[in-house]
Amino acid sequence: MTDVAQIRRDAAQTRRWGWWYVTELRLREMKAYISYVVTSSFGNPLMYLLGLGVGLANLIPDGIDGVPFLVFVGPALLMSTILTIGAEEGMYPVLGGFKWHKIFFAIHATTVTPGQIVGGFLVHLAIRFTFTAGVFYLMLVAFGAVPLGTGWLMIPISILGAFAILTPLAAYSAGIEDDRGQFALIQRLIVMPMFLFSGTFFPLSQVPDWLEWIGWVSPLWHASQLGRTVSYGLVEPLWLTLLRVAILAAYGVIGAILMRRAFVRRLTR
Amino acid sequence: MSHSVIRAVNLTKKYDDFVAVDGISFEVARGESFGLLGPNGAGKSTTMKMIASVSTRTSGELTVLDLDPNVDGPAIRSQLGVVPQEDNLDGELRVRENLLTYGRFFGLSRAEAGKRADELLEFAQLSDRANSKVEPLSGGMKRRLTIARSLMNDPQMLLLDEPTTGLDPQARHILWDRLFRLKEQGTTLVLTTHYMDEAEQLSDRIVVVDKGQIMAEGSPAELIRTYSTREVLEVRYGSDKNVSVAALIADVGERQEVLPDRILIYSDNGEQDLAEITRRGHHPTTSLVRRSSLEDVFLRLTGRSLVE
Amino acid sequence: MSAVTAPKRRFGGMYGGNARAIIERGFKATMTNNYLIILSGFFEPVFYLFSMGVGLGGIIGTIDLNGTEISYGAYIAPALLAVSAMNGAIYDSTWNVFFKLNFAKLYQTMLLTSLGPLDVAIGEITLALLRGGIYAVGFLTVMSIMGLALSPLAIFAIPVVILIAAGFASVGMAFTSYMKTFQQMDWLPLVMLPMFLFSATFYPISIYPEPIQVLVQCFPLWHGVELVRMFTTGVFTAAAWGHLAYFVVMLGTGVIVVARRLRSLFLR
Ligand SMILES: Nc1ncnc2c1ncn2[C@@H]1O[C@H](COP(=O)(O)OP(=O)(O)OP(=O)(O)O)[C@@H](O)[C@H]1O
Ligand SMILES: [Mg+2]
């Protein structure tokens, strides 16, 4: 006779922590490319800050928005770096988990639920974003580009922004059968324009009016503006600041719901 | 004019320090059908690649159609049809386009390539999938397409690396039939296979390789005569008793081989030996007398442990 | 007798004299799969140009180029053209080649026929250059419409861009011939990103201290950017010959290395 109650109890125990097992697995997998993550976490901010911040500042001696150019552009560079990683992580790694190395199917064969797979996936990325954004933040501080003490809030903001872009993309990626170049198209026709026309290097008002809507739908613009608010005190009405947070949260939450649904569908069909 | 179309002398291939093919020598005559047998990792595919002049030999001599692969690769390949062990179809093209472009790689005219493509689609029974993508084809269909592709240039010599792996019995017989007819027309066949019945059916002459070296050579019948007996008697006593019984009947037959699940007794008269065993009171749970096959030769030459 | 006539012996069995068939296959594959992707590739530099040229240009205004004041858009447009030539050529000669060689096994298929490695290399590079050339024509058209092509000589930027792309592609292929795993390819962005950011793309290198300037001048992209900029702005200096020579040498070196590596790359 098997003890059904005991089996249920055991399963419940593993189930409660299922998301963490997934996180752990992905952290362990990261070992294979950890040197790349660390190198690029230090290298990329340095390059961008020197190349686009310090370098371009020479052409804009008066600064923008009443602050030096580097201070103006710093938060946006941080956001665009983290959000870019977010967009990347929402594409190939998700499809790959279903199609190539099939790791999601392997995990699902245990007691872990699809929802926990999504949860663990996101928690792992949150850890990674925290690290990369933290390094970037410290580097900005070292360059003297963060006047306010609230500047560290850029780290959670960048995670919010990254999830805003990552989860909807991941929901899409979990649903497609095959990479027939959709990712390249998304990258070039959605992600790229969003990054270029989202007031990273100049205030959004500089882009032609008929392109300004791109900024409004782009998580990057909202994240950058929030970053500027906490970093050097960009003056915006409170309702607008709250609206930005709400927009990012809405993207993230709706995206996560869709992502979970796509995972369930793919894993159980 | 029957001279060698392949001549290998001390042919050797090393990958870094690892010796994959270790100084083998053999010849293949025009119009002959030549089989390469050997366990996994023996060096069969490596040998095939060197013949197809897509892998550079480390040392030794090799001529294919009287040409040296190191200097005349394209010329040699223009006369070869190759079925690699793993299908490498062009996933970016559709089924018929795969054949067409392959023909164009040989410099066939578009019209000629189109004509042959249609004919070979028919042979591969893929005409109705002509405009399908390659990816969704079943494993066997892909194999058939690869085989069809190898015939696009109407080759003088066909290199087939485990051609029928993954094919259903019908497709296997259709392929055998086609190969017989090609052979009748004078095409030289070189093939590797893990199906001994296939090797026996298709090859005039066989070389058995193991660990990169040649273990034996001859026609299927010769090999069986040399390395095995006429018949094999298989008896089972249950896995716990096989070993102890084997010791008691060791003198029966010419040679015996104890496997975990059964005892093989090689002999010229299986029925007679079976009678002898029963006479001694060892009644097997099941018994079978069969003709000796290439499989027995293979197992003997390449060692049982590899196959267990 | 066989339907196929044997090709003549050329370049020690490396060349089957039929690179055209590879190009044909490339067109067919593009048509069946990814003409949209190819098309979208054109937009990348154009988006950059809109964003940086118009957006940032509105703040920066004009910039001094060897004594001539030109708009910021006209300054960065040629740089973006050179960068996109570099990116396209590097992508095609590294990731793309590595994938087709080790994963799709496409080159193995091609080499089962009377083609040689040289046919494959020539065919694939030609395809990449054709694509790069088409992008360049498109981008120059956009530049002209935006009034950023300041000189009639801009038309000659097209062959120049193709030379730059060929230089990068040959070196990229040489690099790929030494690669064994995808992880090793991670090195690439580490070289390309700084080149993109520091090669007089967005501002003159005169803002750097002397030693850094010299360092930047060692890398190919700077020469490419400067050269293309001369043609689109019409502001030439004698340094043009140096830039040209740089790419000719780069192309030559790349081709020699690739030719030597062909056997180990394709006929392993
Ligand atoms: N490209 C390569 N690099 C390194 N080692 C290789 C390479 N190709 C083959 N080998 C090694 O050479 C040996 C012979 O391989 P080969 O593919 O010729 O075996 P085979 O006889 O065809 O085996 P199978 O029956 O499994 O197909 C193997 O040990 C294999 O690991
Ligand atoms: Mg093999």
Side-chain angles (χ1 to χ4, degrees):
Chain A
M1 258 278 324
T2 49
D3 183 348
V4 176
Q6 181 62 40
I7 292 177
R8 289 227 173 95
R9 261 198 307 281
D10 286 353
Q13 146 79 25
T14 26
R15 289 200 112 157
R16 202 156 27 245
W17 289 100
W19 62 272
W20 174 249
Y21 302 147
V22 177
T23 303
E24 231 182 76
L25 171 74
R26 297 202 76 92
L27 283 172
R28 212 167 297 132
E29 278 172 355
M30 226 169 89
K31 263 194 206 147
Y33 56 100
I34 188 71
S35 59
Y36 173 73
V37 171
V38 172
T39 318
S40 61
S41 290
F42 284 90
N44 282 352
L46 192 65
M47 306 269 193
Y48 278 116
L49 278 176
L50 285 176
L52 293 178
V54 179
L56 267 181
N58 279 279
L59 299 186
I60 311 169
D62 301 335
I64 292 180
D65 203 17
V67 292
F69 182 69
L70 189 60
V71 173
F72 171 82
V73 86
L77 286 178
L78 185 154
M79 297 301 160
S80 70
T81 301
I82 305 300
L83 268 69
T84 308
I85 305 177
E88 276 167 15
E89 292 291 332
M91 295 194 279
Y92 282 105
V94 174
L95 179 62
F98 288 112
K99 190 171 161 58
W100 298 308
H101 50 85
K102 300 188 172 21
I103 184 75
F104 295 141
F105 289 105
I107 302 173
H108 189 239
T110 70
T111 48
V112 178
T113 64
Q116 289 175 325
I117 296 178
V118 170
F121 185 80
L122 294 182
V123 171
H124 157 246
L125 285 174
I127 294 172
R128 182 171 163 198
F129 295 152
T130 307
F131 173 73
T132 307
V135 172
F136 208 131
Y137 166 70
L138 291 177
M139 213 157 301
L140 278 173
V141 171
F143 273 85
V146 190
L148 294 185
T150 46
W152 64 272
L153 283 169
M154 284 191 283
I155 299 169
I157 294 169
S158 73
I159 296 173
L160 191 64
F163 279 173
I165 196 167
L166 183 150
T167 53
L169 271 180
Y172 170 76
S173 308
I176 59 179
E177 286 307 316
D178 210 355
D179 174 31
R180 295 191 195 290
Q182 298 96 320
F183 289 149
L185 284 180
I186 292 178
Q187 177 64 33
R188 283 171 174 171
L189 298 182
I190 299 178
V191 179
M192 266 273 291
M194 213 146 83
F195 281 75
L196 286 170
F197 300 103
S198 290
T200 309
F201 301 104
F202 42 83
L204 191 64
S205 55
Q206 282 291 322
V207 305
D209 292 347
W210 55 278
L211 283 178
E212 258 186 39
W213 63 271
I214 299 181
W216 281 97
V217 298
S218 158
L220 179 58
W221 185 54
H222 299 297
S224 297
Q225 293 298 85
L226 287 172
R228 287 177 174 134
T229 305
V230 299
S231 161
Y232 70 83
L234 168 76
V235 185
E236 276 188 337
L238 183 64
W239 66 265
L240 183 55
T241 307
L242 294 179
L243 178 66
R244 294 191 195 285
V245 175
I247 291 176
L248 292 182
Y251 268 117
V253 169
I254 296 173
I257 292 171
L258 292 176
M259 185 178 167
R260 181 176 168 276
R261 206 164 70 188
F263 269 59
V264 171
R265 205 171 282 164
R266 182 99 181 221
L267 286 170
T268 57
R269 73 161 176 226
Chain B
M1 188 189 73
S2 161
H3 74 290
S4 306
V5 283
I6 304 176
R7 220 169 62 85
V9 182
N10 267 325
L11 184 60
T12 301
K13 174 76 188 182
K14 288 185 193 166
Y15 292 108
D16 298 323
D17 279 341
F18 179 79
V19 186
V21 173
D22 191 3
I24 63 174
S25 306
F26 61 89
E27 292 195 19
V28 178
R30 184 178 295 281
E32 190 180 23
S33 162
F34 179 80
L36 263 175
L37 302 188
N40 293 141
K44 305 179 295 293
S45 297
T46 307
T47 307
M48 293 290 248
K49 281 185 207 152
M50 286 191 283
I51 298 172
S53 55
V54 290
S55 175
T56 312
R57 64 179 185 268
T58 310
S59 64
E61 274 174 52
L62 178 65
T63 55
V64 181
L65 302 167
D66 291 328
L67 298 170
D68 178 348
N70 279 353
V71 282
D72 277 310
I76 292 172
R77 290 192 298 266
S78 72
Q79 309 303 318
L80 297 188
V82 182
V83 178
Q85 182 170 353
E86 276 167 41
D87 297 318
N88 50 1
L89 295 162
D90 190 335
E92 288 184 283
L93 299 179
R94 294 171 193 284
V95 169
R96 186 167 180 276
E97 288 175 336
N98 255 278
L99 299 181
L100 265 183
T101 43
Y102 201 74
R104 294 288 288 158
F105 291 162
F106 282 108
L108 295 182
S109 72
R110 274 191 201 90
E112 174 76 18
K115 206 178 102 227
R116 289 200 64 84
D118 291 330
E119 189 187 307
L120 288 167
L121 280 176
E122 196 66 39
F123 151 69
Q125 296 172 302
L126 287 170
S127 301
D128 53 332
R129 303 297 291 264
N131 287 315
S132 146
K133 290 236 180 192
V134 168
E135 172 95 15
L137 294 185
S138 79
M141 290 177 183
K142 284 185 190 155
R143 200 68 191 143
R144 272 151 36 197
L145 184 57
T146 308
I147 294 167
R149 195 184 66 182
S150 73
L151 298 171
M152 275 302 288
N153 60 328
D154 197 3
Q156 284 191 40
M157 189 192 322
L158 258 182
L159 304 182
L160 306 140
D161 200 348
E162 301 188 24
T164 58
T165 303
L167 292 188
D168 63 27
Q170 281 87 343
R172 211 144 85 99
H173 283 280
I174 290 173
L175 176 66
W176 287 1
D177 174 57
R178 177 79 175 213
L179 293 179
F180 276 127
R181 275 190 281 151
L182 286 170
K183 190 163 137 47
E184 275 167 13
Q185 292 161 21
T187 309
T188 308
L189 303 179
V190 179
L191 96 155
T192 78
T193 178
H194 289 301
Y195 301 118
M196 294 303 135
D197 56 333
E198 181 164 285
E200 225 167 325
Q201 283 265 350
L202 291 179
S203 349
D204 302 329
R205 202 156 53 85
I206 285 171
V207 158
V208 181
V209 286
D210 193 7
K211 300 190 181 85
Q213 293 176 328
I214 292 182
M215 309 296 291
E217 183 179 344
S219 70
E222 279 166 8
L223 285 176
I224 294 171
R225 222 177 302 130
T226 318
Y227 294 97
S228 191
T229 48
R230 207 172 65 85
E231 291 184 336
V232 181
L233 164 63
E234 302 189 1
V235 285
R236 293 170 198 257
Y237 293 92
S239 50
D240 46 341
K241 275 193 271 171
N242 281 338
V243 176
S244 53
V245 177
L248 302 172
I249 56 172
D251 57 317
V252 181
E254 277 188 23
R255 192 161 58 83
Q256 70 161 218
E257 186 104 47
V258 189
L259 304 188
D261 65 328
R262 65 205 140 123
I263 306 169
L264 301 187
I265 294 159
Y266 294 89
S267 85
D268 285 328
N269 190 336
E271 290 297 345
Q272 196 178 316
D273 289 344
L274 180 58
E276 167 66 16
I277 292 172
T278 358
R279 195 187 58 75
R280 294 191 194 173
H282 307 295
H283 294 277
T285 42
T286 62
S287 63
L288 166 74
V289 176
R290 57 171 175 83
R291 273 171 49 90
S292 191
S293 72
L294 209 49
E295 189 133 353
D296 299 302
V297 176
F298 184 86
L299 294 181
R300 173 158 186 204
L301 285 173
T302 60
R304 216 163 267 284
S305 62
L306 279 169
V307 220
E308 264 165 15
Chain C
M1 210 45 238
S2 168
V4 176
T5 44
K8 287 193 209 68
R9 175 191 303 175
R10 277 177 274 203
F11 300 105
M14 291 284 116
Y15 187 47
N18 192 12
R20 208 185 36 213
I22 308 266
I23 298 171
E24 235 178 83
R25 184 239 159 235
F27 279 131
K28 221 172 244 156
T30 308
M31 284 311 154
T32 8
N33 297 288
N34 40 14
Y35 57 94
L36 261 181
I37 301 165
I38 303 274
L39 194 69
S40 72
F42 158 76
F43 288 102
E44 204 164 304
V46 172
F47 286 155
Y48 256 99
L49 184 58
F50 277 163
S51 163
M52 304 299 260
V54 178
L56 204 55
I59 293 172
I60 294 175
T62 60
I63 202 166
D64 176 282
L65 180 67
N66 297 316
T68 315
E69 286 285 317
I70 60 172
S71 75
Y72 188 63
Y75 181 81
I76 63 165
L80 293 172
L81 185 53
V83 167
S84 109
M86 168 179 87
N87 285 341
I90 291 290
Y91 175 83
D92 278 327
S93 62
T94 57
W95 288 102
N96 181 41
V97 166
F98 194 80
F99 182 78
K100 286 181 177 167
L101 194 64
N102 294 306
F103 291 88
K105 310 263 176 199
L106 181 66
Y107 297 150
Q108 278 86 333
T109 304
M110 293 175 169
L111 288 177
L112 292 177
T113 69
S114 46
L115 297 172
L118 203 54
D119 299 82
V120 178
I122 292 176
E124 291 279 286
I125 287 193
T126 309
L127 275 168
L129 296 186
L130 265 175
R131 185 151 61 236
I134 293 170
Y135 285 164
V137 170
F139 190 80
L140 264 175
T141 312
V142 174
M143 275 178 71
S144 315
I145 293 172
M146 291 173 71
L148 300 176
L150 307 179
S151 153
L153 289 175
I155 188 84
F156 293 107
I158 293 167
V160 167
V161 164
I162 292 176
L163 171 70
I164 294 172
F168 277 109
S170 67
V171 169
M173 230 186 205
F175 168 86
T176 308
S177 75
Y178 290 96
M179 292 299 104
K180 296 230 161 64
T181 67
F182 257 120
Q183 264 84 23
Q184 290 170 311
M185 302 289 245
D186 282 339
W187 282 96
L188 270 173
L190 248 53
V191 184
M192 302 210 0
L193 180 66
M195 261 210 284
F196 167 56
L197 290 174
F198 300 109
S199 296
T201 331
F202 297 108
Y203 43 84
I205 59 169
S206 54
I207 68 154
Y208 300 132
E210 183 78 29
I212 306 238
Q213 288 189 28
V214 173
L215 184 68
V216 169
Q217 291 173 342
C218 293
F219 284 91
L221 185 60
W222 178 76
H223 295 272
V225 167
E226 290 286 298
L227 194 57
V228 177
R229 191 171 278 144
M230 287 184 192
F231 280 91
T232 64
T233 59
V235 183
F236 284 88
T237 68
W241 296 111
H243 302 318
L244 267 176
Y246 188 102
F247 275 98
V248 171
V249 171
M250 180 173 169
L251 176 62
T253 316
V255 166
I256 290 169
V257 176
V258 170
R260 289 191 170 192
R261 297 281 304 166
L262 274 181
R263 191 174 281 278
S264 51
L265 187 57
F266 290 107
L267 302 180
R268 211 175 115 71

